[in-house]
Amino acid sequence: PTLPQMKFVLERKVAIVGVPFHGGQDKIGVDDGPAQLFKFGIGDQLKCLGWNVKEEMIPVADLKPKEDPSHGVLIGPRYVGAVTQALAKTVQTHVNEGNLVLTIGGDHSIAVGSIAGTFAVHPNACVIWVDAHADINTPESSQSGNLHGCPVAFLLGLATGVPGFEWLKPCLTSNRIVYVGLRDVDEGERKILRDNNIKVFTMKEVDRHGIGKVMDMALEHVNPNRDLPIHLSFDVDGLDPSVVPSTGTPVRGGLTFREGCYICELIAETGLLIGVDITEVNPKIGTEREIAVTLGVACSITRCALGETLI
């Protein structure tokens, strides 16, 4: 396929950064997502699209602190903070070298690091967040204490004073993020979204308008002149569980496979993409077939984001 002209990426270079991390939630297995996606051939698939690929893995085990008591309800904050700090530095380096960065999780708490790394180089960037969940809980609003439900709050500066995150300076503003696919939002998060006037397209809007119109409106909101770098943060549970069964917090009534692909295709067409997160693939959940299907879908949406077209 003819790949779009990239405005912020040099020489069709992509750095794939695996983050084998499950510390933002309590289900073992999501840490195996990067290894399994590498094994499934995600790098070779991108090479076939014409990308120059380099792969690396963040050594998360080396970053685990000896002591990591909870902070209020928040579980393991120092570990999450250390991993996301290391990821932010890695992403920043790759973006500075002209790479598009594909970050593969791991749970969605890693987006604190990937997005902070992107914004360190492109502070005017915007974020399109595809997910069943808003992931904008604060230490005060979180009920589970799982930090994969909090990354957007950290990036916006709404979660402060948490040990392990001293390195993080708020880099995102509420007008530079848009959500697509939400359908399971905590009561506290609803208030945070309203109070900060954050644009949300729930599954109701997708049903009402169709994914084409929703994506036009989403881009118009965060990138009206189509000139800002885009970071796409894609939690696979934004897709319906019938499409991606091997994920830790499935919610029925989600995006179809084609709707997920269309989101990525449209963003690819802009030529503005600078970073992509693919998170919450858990190869320890489901049957062998369900795991293979989930890995295949994760690779498909990644290829679409990096320029694969139907004809």
Side-chain angles (χ1 to χ4, degrees), residues 223-261:
N223 209 334
N225 298 318
R226 306 297 195 273
D227 57 355
L228 303 177
I230 296 173
H231 187 113
L232 170 64
S233 201
F234 201 123
D235 184 326
V236 297
D237 75 24
L239 300 168
D240 192 76
S242 62
V243 179
V244 282
S246 298
T247 190
T249 49
V251 186
R252 64 184 179 180
L255 297 162
T256 66
F257 173 67
R258 268 304 308 157
E259 286 169 340
C261 289

PDB file of all heavy atoms in Angstrom, residues 223-261:
ATOM      1  N   ASN A 223      -7.649  18.660  17.180  1.00  0.00           N
ATOM      2  CA  ASN A 223      -6.667  18.993  16.142  1.00  0.00           C
ATOM      3  C   ASN A 223      -7.368  19.711  14.984  1.00  0.00           C
ATOM      4  O   ASN A 223      -7.329  19.249  13.841  1.00  0.00           O
ATOM      5  CB  ASN A 223      -6.009  17.692  15.647  1.00  0.00           C
ATOM      6  CG  ASN A 223      -4.596  17.890  15.157  1.00  0.00           C
ATOM      7  OD1 ASN A 223      -4.223  18.963  14.719  1.00  0.00           O
ATOM      8  ND2 ASN A 223      -3.807  16.820  15.209  1.00  0.00           N
ATOM      9  N   PRO A 224      -7.998  20.862  15.277  1.00  0.00           N
ATOM     10  CA  PRO A 224      -8.887  21.482  14.285  1.00  0.00           C
ATOM     11  C   PRO A 224      -8.212  21.874  12.982  1.00  0.00           C
ATOM     12  O   PRO A 224      -8.835  21.837  11.925  1.00  0.00           O
ATOM     13  CB  PRO A 224      -9.443  22.712  15.023  1.00  0.00           C
ATOM     14  CG  PRO A 224      -8.492  22.957  16.150  1.00  0.00           C
ATOM     15  CD  PRO A 224      -7.958  21.619  16.535  1.00  0.00           C
ATOM     16  N   ASN A 225      -6.935  22.240  13.027  1.00  0.00           N
ATOM     17  CA  ASN A 225      -6.234  22.631  11.805  1.00  0.00           C
ATOM     18  C   ASN A 225      -5.429  21.480  11.193  1.00  0.00           C
ATOM     19  O   ASN A 225      -4.719  21.680  10.198  1.00  0.00           O
ATOM     20  CB  ASN A 225      -5.293  23.810  12.094  1.00  0.00           C
ATOM     21  CG  ASN A 225      -6.053  25.038  12.553  1.00  0.00           C
ATOM     22  OD1 ASN A 225      -7.108  25.361  12.007  1.00  0.00           O
ATOM     23  ND2 ASN A 225      -5.544  25.703  13.576  1.00  0.00           N
ATOM     24  N   ARG A 226      -5.554  20.305  11.809  1.00  0.00           N
ATOM     25  CA  ARG A 226      -4.848  19.104  11.327  1.00  0.00           C
ATOM     26  C   ARG A 226      -3.348  19.370  11.163  1.00  0.00           C
ATOM     27  O   ARG A 226      -2.721  19.011  10.175  1.00  0.00           O
ATOM     28  CB  ARG A 226      -5.430  18.614   9.991  1.00  0.00           C
ATOM     29  CG  ARG A 226      -6.939  18.366   9.990  1.00  0.00           C
ATOM     30  CD  ARG A 226      -7.367  17.257  10.963  1.00  0.00           C
ATOM     31  NE  ARG A 226      -8.733  16.808  10.702  1.00  0.00           N
ATOM     32  CZ  ARG A 226      -9.821  17.366  11.214  1.00  0.00           C
ATOM     33  NH1 ARG A 226      -9.710  18.414  12.032  1.00  0.00           N
ATOM     34  NH2 ARG A 226     -11.011  16.889  10.940  1.00  0.00           N
ATOM     35  N   ASP A 227      -2.769  19.967  12.221  1.00  0.00           N
ATOM     36  CA  ASP A 227      -1.348  20.298  12.155  1.00  0.00           C
ATOM     37  C   ASP A 227      -0.578  19.902  13.410  1.00  0.00           C
ATOM     38  O   ASP A 227       0.630  20.134  13.497  1.00  0.00           O
ATOM     39  CB  ASP A 227      -1.150  21.800  11.892  1.00  0.00           C
ATOM     40  CG  ASP A 227      -1.829  22.681  12.947  1.00  0.00           C
ATOM     41  OD1 ASP A 227      -2.535  22.139  13.831  1.00  0.00           O
ATOM     42  OD2 ASP A 227      -1.662  23.920  12.883  1.00  0.00           O
ATOM     43  N   LEU A 228      -1.253  19.290  14.393  1.00  0.00           N
ATOM     44  CA  LEU A 228      -0.596  18.917  15.644  1.00  0.00           C
ATOM     45  C   LEU A 228      -0.238  17.428  15.642  1.00  0.00           C
ATOM     46  O   LEU A 228      -0.989  16.609  15.103  1.00  0.00           O
ATOM     47  CB  LEU A 228      -1.516  19.203  16.833  1.00  0.00           C
ATOM     48  CG  LEU A 228      -2.029  20.633  16.991  1.00  0.00           C
ATOM     49  CD1 LEU A 228      -2.989  20.721  18.173  1.00  0.00           C
ATOM     50  CD2 LEU A 228      -0.873  21.611  17.159  1.00  0.00           C
ATOM     51  N   PRO A 229       0.874  17.064  16.261  1.00  0.00           N
ATOM     52  CA  PRO A 229       1.205  15.640  16.386  1.00  0.00           C
ATOM     53  C   PRO A 229       0.125  14.903  17.171  1.00  0.00           C
ATOM     54  O   PRO A 229      -0.469  15.460  18.103  1.00  0.00           O
ATOM     55  CB  PRO A 229       2.533  15.642  17.155  1.00  0.00           C
ATOM     56  CG  PRO A 229       3.065  17.029  17.035  1.00  0.00           C
ATOM     57  CD  PRO A 229       1.880  17.930  16.902  1.00  0.00           C
ATOM     58  N   ILE A 230      -0.117  13.645  16.800  1.00  0.00           N
ATOM     59  CA  ILE A 230      -1.150  12.835  17.451  1.00  0.00           C
ATOM     60  C   ILE A 230      -0.507  11.640  18.144  1.00  0.00           C
ATOM     61  O   ILE A 230       0.290  10.905  17.554  1.00  0.00           O
ATOM     62  CB  ILE A 230      -2.181  12.318  16.426  1.00  0.00           C
ATOM     63  CG1 ILE A 230      -2.948  13.486  15.798  1.00  0.00           C
ATOM     64  CG2 ILE A 230      -3.161  11.334  17.081  1.00  0.00           C
ATOM     65  CD1 ILE A 230      -3.871  13.062  14.645  1.00  0.00           C
ATOM     66  N   HIS A 231      -0.882  11.458  19.411  1.00  0.00           N
ATOM     67  CA  HIS A 231      -0.525  10.239  20.149  1.00  0.00           C
ATOM     68  C   HIS A 231      -1.813   9.439  20.329  1.00  0.00           C
ATOM     69  O   HIS A 231      -2.774   9.912  20.936  1.00  0.00           O
ATOM     70  CB  HIS A 231       0.084  10.597  21.505  1.00  0.00           C
ATOM     71  CG  HIS A 231       0.624   9.408  22.248  1.00  0.00           C
ATOM     72  ND1 HIS A 231       1.967   9.228  22.491  1.00  0.00           N
ATOM     73  CD2 HIS A 231       0.007   8.332  22.794  1.00  0.00           C
ATOM     74  CE1 HIS A 231       2.148   8.100  23.151  1.00  0.00           C
ATOM     75  NE2 HIS A 231       0.968   7.535  23.352  1.00  0.00           N
ATOM     76  N   LEU A 232      -1.840   8.235  19.798  1.00  0.00           N
ATOM     77  CA  LEU A 232      -2.994   7.340  19.899  1.00  0.00           C
ATOM     78  C   LEU A 232      -2.741   6.348  21.025  1.00  0.00           C
ATOM     79  O   LEU A 232      -1.776   5.581  20.972  1.00  0.00           O
ATOM     80  CB  LEU A 232      -3.214   6.599  18.586  1.00  0.00           C
ATOM     81  CG  LEU A 232      -4.226   5.451  18.599  1.00  0.00           C
ATOM     82  CD1 LEU A 232      -5.634   5.948  18.909  1.00  0.00           C
ATOM     83  CD2 LEU A 232      -4.201   4.704  17.264  1.00  0.00           C
ATOM     84  N   SER A 233      -3.596   6.366  22.046  1.00  0.00           N
ATOM     85  CA  SER A 233      -3.465   5.414  23.151  1.00  0.00           C
ATOM     86  C   SER A 233      -4.660   4.471  23.082  1.00  0.00           C
ATOM     87  O   SER A 233      -5.800   4.863  23.362  1.00  0.00           O
ATOM     88  CB  SER A 233      -3.416   6.152  24.495  1.00  0.00           C
ATOM     89  OG  SER A 233      -2.837   5.347  25.492  1.00  0.00           O
ATOM     90  N   PHE A 234      -4.386   3.226  22.702  1.00  0.00           N
ATOM     91  CA  PHE A 234      -5.453   2.266  22.363  1.00  0.00           C
ATOM     92  C   PHE A 234      -5.418   1.103  23.348  1.00  0.00           C
ATOM     93  O   PHE A 234      -4.506   0.278  23.335  1.00  0.00           O
ATOM     94  CB  PHE A 234      -5.244   1.751  20.936  1.00  0.00           C
ATOM     95  CG  PHE A 234      -6.471   1.179  20.277  1.00  0.00           C
ATOM     96  CD1 PHE A 234      -6.931   1.704  19.072  1.00  0.00           C
ATOM     97  CD2 PHE A 234      -7.165   0.116  20.833  1.00  0.00           C
ATOM     98  CE1 PHE A 234      -8.064   1.187  18.443  1.00  0.00           C
ATOM     99  CE2 PHE A 234      -8.299  -0.406  20.227  1.00  0.00           C
ATOM    100  CZ  PHE A 234      -8.744   0.132  19.025  1.00  0.00           C
ATOM    101  N   ASP A 235      -6.415   1.071  24.223  1.00  0.00           N
ATOM    102  CA  ASP A 235      -6.627  -0.070  25.105  1.00  0.00           C
ATOM    103  C   ASP A 235      -7.503  -1.054  24.341  1.00  0.00           C
ATOM    104  O   ASP A 235      -8.597  -0.691  23.884  1.00  0.00           O
ATOM    105  CB  ASP A 235      -7.339   0.398  26.380  1.00  0.00           C
ATOM    106  CG  ASP A 235      -7.537  -0.686  27.418  1.00  0.00           C
ATOM    107  OD1 ASP A 235      -7.743  -1.854  27.036  1.00  0.00           O
ATOM    108  OD2 ASP A 235      -7.540  -0.364  28.624  1.00  0.00           O
ATOM    109  N   VAL A 236      -7.035  -2.297  24.189  1.00  0.00           N
ATOM    110  CA  VAL A 236      -7.794  -3.226  23.352  1.00  0.00           C
ATOM    111  C   VAL A 236      -9.182  -3.517  23.913  1.00  0.00           C
ATOM    112  O   VAL A 236     -10.051  -3.975  23.172  1.00  0.00           O
ATOM    113  CB  VAL A 236      -7.039  -4.546  23.087  1.00  0.00           C
ATOM    114  CG1 VAL A 236      -5.756  -4.281  22.323  1.00  0.00           C
ATOM    115  CG2 VAL A 236      -6.796  -5.337  24.365  1.00  0.00           C
ATOM    116  N   ASP A 237      -9.422  -3.214  25.206  1.00  0.00           N
ATOM    117  CA  ASP A 237     -10.783  -3.437  25.711  1.00  0.00           C
ATOM    118  C   ASP A 237     -11.766  -2.373  25.226  1.00  0.00           C
ATOM    119  O   ASP A 237     -12.966  -2.459  25.509  1.00  0.00           O
ATOM    120  CB  ASP A 237     -10.809  -3.612  27.229  1.00  0.00           C
ATOM    121  CG  ASP A 237     -10.624  -2.334  28.044  1.00  0.00           C
ATOM    122  OD1 ASP A 237     -10.906  -1.230  27.554  1.00  0.00           O
ATOM    123  OD2 ASP A 237     -10.194  -2.461  29.214  1.00  0.00           O
ATOM    124  N   GLY A 238     -11.266  -1.383  24.462  1.00  0.00           N
ATOM    125  CA  GLY A 238     -12.186  -0.500  23.750  1.00  0.00           C
ATOM    126  C   GLY A 238     -13.001  -1.269  22.724  1.00  0.00           C
ATOM    127  O   GLY A 238     -14.136  -0.915  22.409  1.00  0.00           O
ATOM    128  N   LEU A 239     -12.407  -2.351  22.218  1.00  0.00           N
ATOM    129  CA  LEU A 239     -13.110  -3.244  21.298  1.00  0.00           C
ATOM    130  C   LEU A 239     -14.017  -4.182  22.091  1.00  0.00           C
ATOM    131  O   LEU A 239     -13.797  -4.434  23.278  1.00  0.00           O
ATOM    132  CB  LEU A 239     -12.103  -4.060  20.487  1.00  0.00           C
ATOM    133  CG  LEU A 239     -11.130  -3.244  19.627  1.00  0.00           C
ATOM    134  CD1 LEU A 239     -10.008  -4.133  19.117  1.00  0.00           C
ATOM    135  CD2 LEU A 239     -11.854  -2.572  18.480  1.00  0.00           C
ATOM    136  N   ASP A 240     -15.023  -4.702  21.445  1.00  0.00           N
ATOM    137  CA  ASP A 240     -15.952  -5.602  22.110  1.00  0.00           C
ATOM    138  C   ASP A 240     -15.240  -6.897  22.522  1.00  0.00           C
ATOM    139  O   ASP A 240     -14.335  -7.366  21.814  1.00  0.00           O
ATOM    140  CB  ASP A 240     -17.115  -5.925  21.165  1.00  0.00           C
ATOM    141  CG  ASP A 240     -18.252  -6.610  21.889  1.00  0.00           C
ATOM    142  OD1 ASP A 240     -18.995  -5.910  22.606  1.00  0.00           O
ATOM    143  OD2 ASP A 240     -18.376  -7.845  21.759  1.00  0.00           O
ATOM    144  N   PRO A 241     -15.628  -7.502  23.646  1.00  0.00           N
ATOM    145  CA  PRO A 241     -14.996  -8.758  24.076  1.00  0.00           C
ATOM    146  C   PRO A 241     -15.122  -9.896  23.059  1.00  0.00           C
ATOM    147  O   PRO A 241     -14.308 -10.818  23.070  1.00  0.00           O
ATOM    148  CB  PRO A 241     -15.734  -9.110  25.367  1.00  0.00           C
ATOM    149  CG  PRO A 241     -16.325  -7.838  25.852  1.00  0.00           C
ATOM    150  CD  PRO A 241     -16.593  -7.006  24.636  1.00  0.00           C
ATOM    151  N   SER A 242     -16.107  -9.823  22.179  1.00  0.00           N
ATOM    152  CA  SER A 242     -16.208 -10.834  21.122  1.00  0.00           C
ATOM    153  C   SER A 242     -15.071 -10.689  20.112  1.00  0.00           C
ATOM    154  O   SER A 242     -14.742 -11.636  19.391  1.00  0.00           O
ATOM    155  CB  SER A 242     -17.552 -10.722  20.397  1.00  0.00           C
ATOM    156  OG  SER A 242     -17.678  -9.458  19.756  1.00  0.00           O
ATOM    157  N   VAL A 243     -14.462  -9.504  20.072  1.00  0.00           N
ATOM    158  CA  VAL A 243     -13.362  -9.219  19.152  1.00  0.00           C
ATOM    159  C   VAL A 243     -12.015  -9.490  19.831  1.00  0.00           C
ATOM    160  O   VAL A 243     -11.111 -10.066  19.231  1.00  0.00           O
ATOM    161  CB  VAL A 243     -13.425  -7.749  18.670  1.00  0.00           C
ATOM    162  CG1 VAL A 243     -12.270  -7.422  17.729  1.00  0.00           C
ATOM    163  CG2 VAL A 243     -14.764  -7.458  18.011  1.00  0.00           C
ATOM    164  N   VAL A 244     -11.887  -9.064  21.093  1.00  0.00           N
ATOM    165  CA  VAL A 244     -10.652  -9.280  21.863  1.00  0.00           C
ATOM    166  C   VAL A 244     -10.995  -9.933  23.202  1.00  0.00           C
ATOM    167  O   VAL A 244     -11.111  -9.252  24.217  1.00  0.00           O
ATOM    168  CB  VAL A 244      -9.849  -7.974  22.083  1.00  0.00           C
ATOM    169  CG1 VAL A 244      -9.082  -7.589  20.858  1.00  0.00           C
ATOM    170  CG2 VAL A 244     -10.752  -6.827  22.496  1.00  0.00           C
ATOM    171  N   PRO A 245     -11.157 -11.241  23.215  1.00  0.00           N
ATOM    172  CA  PRO A 245     -11.533 -11.916  24.456  1.00  0.00           C
ATOM    173  C   PRO A 245     -10.435 -11.934  25.510  1.00  0.00           C
ATOM    174  O   PRO A 245     -10.728 -11.997  26.708  1.00  0.00           O
ATOM    175  CB  PRO A 245     -11.873 -13.344  23.996  1.00  0.00           C
ATOM    176  CG  PRO A 245     -11.202 -13.510  22.670  1.00  0.00           C
ATOM    177  CD  PRO A 245     -11.148 -12.163  22.050  1.00  0.00           C
ATOM    178  N   SER A 246      -9.165 -11.863  25.106  1.00  0.00           N
ATOM    179  CA  SER A 246      -8.059 -12.020  26.056  1.00  0.00           C
ATOM    180  C   SER A 246      -7.590 -10.668  26.581  1.00  0.00           C
ATOM    181  O   SER A 246      -6.528 -10.150  26.222  1.00  0.00           O
ATOM    182  CB  SER A 246      -6.910 -12.788  25.407  1.00  0.00           C
ATOM    183  OG  SER A 246      -7.324 -14.078  25.052  1.00  0.00           O
ATOM    184  N   THR A 247      -8.422 -10.094  27.453  1.00  0.00           N
ATOM    185  CA  THR A 247      -8.096  -8.819  28.093  1.00  0.00           C
ATOM    186  C   THR A 247      -8.712  -8.831  29.487  1.00  0.00           C
ATOM    187  O   THR A 247      -9.692  -9.536  29.735  1.00  0.00           O
ATOM    188  CB  THR A 247      -8.573  -7.626  27.246  1.00  0.00           C
ATOM    189  OG1 THR A 247      -8.024  -6.413  27.784  1.00  0.00           O
ATOM    190  CG2 THR A 247     -10.083  -7.524  27.196  1.00  0.00           C
ATOM    191  N   GLY A 248      -8.140  -8.038  30.399  1.00  0.00           N
ATOM    192  CA  GLY A 248      -8.447  -8.198  31.808  1.00  0.00           C
ATOM    193  C   GLY A 248      -9.733  -7.586  32.313  1.00  0.00           C
ATOM    194  O   GLY A 248     -10.312  -8.063  33.288  1.00  0.00           O
ATOM    195  N   THR A 249     -10.199  -6.506  31.670  1.00  0.00           N
ATOM    196  CA  THR A 249     -11.420  -5.836  32.148  1.00  0.00           C
ATOM    197  C   THR A 249     -12.394  -5.635  30.984  1.00  0.00           C
ATOM    198  O   THR A 249     -12.664  -4.507  30.564  1.00  0.00           O
ATOM    199  CB  THR A 249     -11.093  -4.478  32.808  1.00  0.00           C
ATOM    200  OG1 THR A 249     -10.234  -3.713  31.944  1.00  0.00           O
ATOM    201  CG2 THR A 249     -10.401  -4.670  34.142  1.00  0.00           C
ATOM    202  N   PRO A 250     -12.917  -6.740  30.428  1.00  0.00           N
ATOM    203  CA  PRO A 250     -13.804  -6.632  29.268  1.00  0.00           C
ATOM    204  C   PRO A 250     -15.148  -6.021  29.631  1.00  0.00           C
ATOM    205  O   PRO A 250     -15.657  -6.222  30.737  1.00  0.00           O
ATOM    206  CB  PRO A 250     -13.968  -8.092  28.826  1.00  0.00           C
ATOM    207  CG  PRO A 250     -13.786  -8.881  30.086  1.00  0.00           C
ATOM    208  CD  PRO A 250     -12.759  -8.135  30.891  1.00  0.00           C
ATOM    209  N   VAL A 251     -15.705  -5.265  28.695  1.00  0.00           N
ATOM    210  CA  VAL A 251     -17.031  -4.658  28.868  1.00  0.00           C
ATOM    211  C   VAL A 251     -17.802  -4.843  27.564  1.00  0.00           C
ATOM    212  O   VAL A 251     -17.355  -4.395  26.512  1.00  0.00           O
ATOM    213  CB  VAL A 251     -16.940  -3.146  29.182  1.00  0.00           C
ATOM    214  CG1 VAL A 251     -18.331  -2.587  29.489  1.00  0.00           C
ATOM    215  CG2 VAL A 251     -15.983  -2.878  30.339  1.00  0.00           C
ATOM    216  N   ARG A 252     -18.942  -5.510  27.632  1.00  0.00           N
ATOM    217  CA  ARG A 252     -19.694  -5.767  26.411  1.00  0.00           C
ATOM    218  C   ARG A 252     -20.227  -4.462  25.813  1.00  0.00           C
ATOM    219  O   ARG A 252     -20.298  -3.428  26.471  1.00  0.00           O
ATOM    220  CB  ARG A 252     -20.840  -6.734  26.689  1.00  0.00           C
ATOM    221  CG  ARG A 252     -21.889  -6.221  27.645  1.00  0.00           C
ATOM    222  CD  ARG A 252     -22.910  -7.288  27.934  1.00  0.00           C
ATOM    223  NE  ARG A 252     -23.927  -6.813  28.881  1.00  0.00           N
ATOM    224  CZ  ARG A 252     -24.935  -7.552  29.301  1.00  0.00           C
ATOM    225  NH1 ARG A 252     -25.077  -8.797  28.860  1.00  0.00           N
ATOM    226  NH2 ARG A 252     -25.815  -7.062  30.159  1.00  0.00           N
ATOM    227  N   GLY A 253     -20.605  -4.545  24.537  1.00  0.00           N
ATOM    228  CA  GLY A 253     -21.143  -3.362  23.855  1.00  0.00           C
ATOM    229  C   GLY A 253     -20.072  -2.443  23.311  1.00  0.00           C
ATOM    230  O   GLY A 253     -20.282  -1.227  23.210  1.00  0.00           O
ATOM    231  N   GLY A 254     -18.924  -3.020  22.919  1.00  0.00           N
ATOM    232  CA  GLY A 254     -17.809  -2.192  22.478  1.00  0.00           C
ATOM    233  C   GLY A 254     -17.701  -2.036  20.977  1.00  0.00           C
ATOM    234  O   GLY A 254     -18.597  -2.413  20.206  1.00  0.00           O
ATOM    235  N   LEU A 255     -16.586  -1.472  20.566  1.00  0.00           N
ATOM    236  CA  LEU A 255     -16.324  -1.232  19.151  1.00  0.00           C
ATOM    237  C   LEU A 255     -16.169  -2.554  18.407  1.00  0.00           C
ATOM    238  O   LEU A 255     -15.637  -3.527  18.935  1.00  0.00           O
ATOM    239  CB  LEU A 255     -15.040  -0.416  18.992  1.00  0.00           C
ATOM    240  CG  LEU A 255     -15.045   0.997  19.594  1.00  0.00           C
ATOM    241  CD1 LEU A 255     -13.616   1.505  19.763  1.00  0.00           C
ATOM    242  CD2 LEU A 255     -15.856   1.951  18.722  1.00  0.00           C
ATOM    243  N   THR A 256     -16.610  -2.573  17.172  1.00  0.00           N
ATOM    244  CA  THR A 256     -16.383  -3.734  16.312  1.00  0.00           C
ATOM    245  C   THR A 256     -14.930  -3.727  15.831  1.00  0.00           C
ATOM    246  O   THR A 256     -14.208  -2.723  15.961  1.00  0.00           O
ATOM    247  CB  THR A 256     -17.297  -3.711  15.083  1.00  0.00           C
ATOM    248  OG1 THR A 256     -16.935  -2.585  14.250  1.00  0.00           O
ATOM    249  CG2 THR A 256     -18.763  -3.605  15.471  1.00  0.00           C
ATOM    250  N   PHE A 257     -14.534  -4.840  15.239  1.00  0.00           N
ATOM    251  CA  PHE A 257     -13.193  -4.907  14.662  1.00  0.00           C
ATOM    252  C   PHE A 257     -13.002  -3.810  13.625  1.00  0.00           C
ATOM    253  O   PHE A 257     -11.987  -3.094  13.633  1.00  0.00           O
ATOM    254  CB  PHE A 257     -12.980  -6.283  14.031  1.00  0.00           C
ATOM    255  CG  PHE A 257     -11.698  -6.414  13.259  1.00  0.00           C
ATOM    256  CD1 PHE A 257     -10.475  -6.378  13.900  1.00  0.00           C
ATOM    257  CD2 PHE A 257     -11.722  -6.562  11.879  1.00  0.00           C
ATOM    258  CE1 PHE A 257      -9.279  -6.498  13.187  1.00  0.00           C
ATOM    259  CE2 PHE A 257     -10.543  -6.680  11.159  1.00  0.00           C
ATOM    260  CZ  PHE A 257      -9.323  -6.651  11.809  1.00  0.00           C
ATOM    261  N   ARG A 258     -13.962  -3.650  12.731  1.00  0.00           N
ATOM    262  CA  ARG A 258     -13.801  -2.650  11.670  1.00  0.00           C
ATOM    263  C   ARG A 258     -13.824  -1.229  12.226  1.00  0.00           C
ATOM    264  O   ARG A 258     -13.111  -0.352  11.727  1.00  0.00           O
ATOM    265  CB  ARG A 258     -14.899  -2.819  10.606  1.00  0.00           C
ATOM    266  CG  ARG A 258     -14.528  -3.714   9.450  1.00  0.00           C
ATOM    267  CD  ARG A 258     -13.261  -3.276   8.731  1.00  0.00           C
ATOM    268  NE  ARG A 258     -13.304  -1.868   8.331  1.00  0.00           N
ATOM    269  CZ  ARG A 258     -12.244  -1.122   8.089  1.00  0.00           C
ATOM    270  NH1 ARG A 258     -11.034  -1.615   8.215  1.00  0.00           N
ATOM    271  NH2 ARG A 258     -12.399   0.128   7.730  1.00  0.00           N
ATOM    272  N   GLU A 259     -14.628  -0.972  13.251  1.00  0.00           N
ATOM    273  CA  GLU A 259     -14.620   0.366  13.851  1.00  0.00           C
ATOM    274  C   GLU A 259     -13.245   0.672  14.449  1.00  0.00           C
ATOM    275  O   GLU A 259     -12.726   1.786  14.296  1.00  0.00           O
ATOM    276  CB  GLU A 259     -15.710   0.474  14.918  1.00  0.00           C
ATOM    277  CG  GLU A 259     -17.107   0.576  14.319  1.00  0.00           C
ATOM    278  CD  GLU A 259     -18.217   0.417  15.333  1.00  0.00           C
ATOM    279  OE1 GLU A 259     -17.977  -0.143  16.426  1.00  0.00           O
ATOM    280  OE2 GLU A 259     -19.357   0.845  15.034  1.00  0.00           O
ATOM    281  N   GLY A 260     -12.638  -0.327  15.116  1.00  0.00           N
ATOM    282  CA  GLY A 260     -11.290  -0.128  15.643  1.00  0.00           C
ATOM    283  C   GLY A 260     -10.281   0.143  14.542  1.00  0.00           C
ATOM    284  O   GLY A 260      -9.430   1.033  14.660  1.00  0.00           O
ATOM    285  N   CYS A 261     -10.391  -0.623  13.465  1.00  0.00           N
ATOM    286  CA  CYS A 261      -9.486  -0.406  12.329  1.00  0.00           C
ATOM    287  C   CYS A 261      -9.696   0.968  11.708  1.00  0.00           C
ATOM    288  O   CYS A 261      -8.737   1.665  11.355  1.00  0.00           O
ATOM    289  CB  CYS A 261      -9.687  -1.495  11.274  1.00  0.00           C
ATOM    290  SG  CYS A 261      -9.081  -3.121  11.763  1.00  0.00           S
TER     291      CYS A 261
END
